[in-house]
Amino acid sequence: MDSDELLRLFFAERPALEAYLLAATRDYHLTEDLLQEVAIVLVRKAEEYDTSRPFGPWARGIARRELASYLRARADEAAVLDPETLEVCAPAFETVWLGEHTEARKAALAECVETVSDGGRKVLELRYHERLSCPEIARALGRTVQAVYGILKRVKNALRECVEARLGEARP
Amino acid sequence: MRRPRHRVRSPKELAEAYFHEELSPAERERLTSSLREDAGLVRRFAEVARDEIMLFELHRAAEGAFDRASQGVETPCWATRRQGRRRSGLVLWAATVAACVLVGLVGFRLGGAAARERRGEAFPVPWAGRSSPSVPSGSQVSRCDSCSDGGRT
């Protein structure tokens, strides 16, 4: 398989791989690093790919091996979900992105974030821009970790409802 | 908002909390077993993962836009401006010091000359106050033969 075709398949599969790795690590930074490693291995092993079989499971197999080698090297950081459970979830990681108007959802999310209160926005920025953990956010804001959990839960629920409402309005 | 310790959260709540909260081992175990049995929960869990990624991407895109703006326009510009300011500051400082010294010297000389003029003294000459220019001993002073007094004055 030529590299252009492989990269096309990789970018189509990327969101599902990203969700898989994020579910395994709960660390977006690490997920990005692992995804880069996966892309390198995919290109290196392009010749081994059997084009008669679906690309997703093959790519996920490589992601799983990269993840396992990382977890072996960092024995202190165990994956929260075990590999079997992740495999159960893997098809859903694909389907939520497929048949989804991703760009419309992203645009709706960007609009909805603008409607979040200042306090909620601050927590969102610390979490998703500064990439702080909840205990770190709690320290930064002088709040308890439970309070930060509560704010994030409320903001995420509000965002989900806002996005669904906007997508619902856009649907014919 | 403190979560009551005794309240047992539903698997859906656990799936929604998974990406940002530290679940207890018991909660993690319950989420794991529920995910293996409940396809609806798996779907919800995948949606939560997607929303999580979109939030990170959204904030990264904002960060990227900020970086591009700062790299493309602001950073080199104000870095250059700052260097330029530093250099022109030095030049300005040196020029000011030189101008002050010059003005001080000229003022001192002119002030001194004016004071002497008021006192009726001649314009200051290096040998002022002496009867005549000092001539190094033993040196030859040529006479002015064309002068009416033979060059004595």
Side-chain angles (χ1 to χ4, degrees), chain B residues 65-81:
Chain B
F66 175 79
D67 285 350
R68 276 194 300 279
S70 61
Q71 282 166 15
V73 183
E74 282 179 35
T75 305
C77 184
W78 66 245
T80 310
R81 220 183 293 143

Side-chain angles (χ1 to χ4, degrees), chain B residues 24-95:
Chain B
S24 69
E27 285 179 322
R28 201 179 309 155
E29 183 56 41
R30 203 163 65 255
L31 175 63
T32 301
S33 60
S34 300
L35 282 171
R36 290 185 183 198
E37 294 163 2
D38 185 347
L41 183 67
V42 168
R43 168 87 191 179
R44 179 75 203 110
F45 184 67
E47 286 171 353
V48 174
R50 176 201 58 200
D51 295 348
E52 194 76 359
I53 288 167
M54 281 192 173
L55 276 169
F56 276 116
E57 284 182 351
L58 183 71
H59 284 81
R60 189 178 55 187
E63 182 184 1
F66 175 79
D67 285 350
R68 276 194 300 279
S70 61
Q71 282 166 15
V73 183
E74 282 179 35
T75 305
C77 184
W78 66 245
T80 310
R81 220 183 293 143
R82 191 170 58 180
Q83 284 174 352
R85 273 205 297 268
R86 197 179 298 149
R87 205 178 300 128
S88 56
L90 278 173
V91 170
L92 188 66
W93 179 83

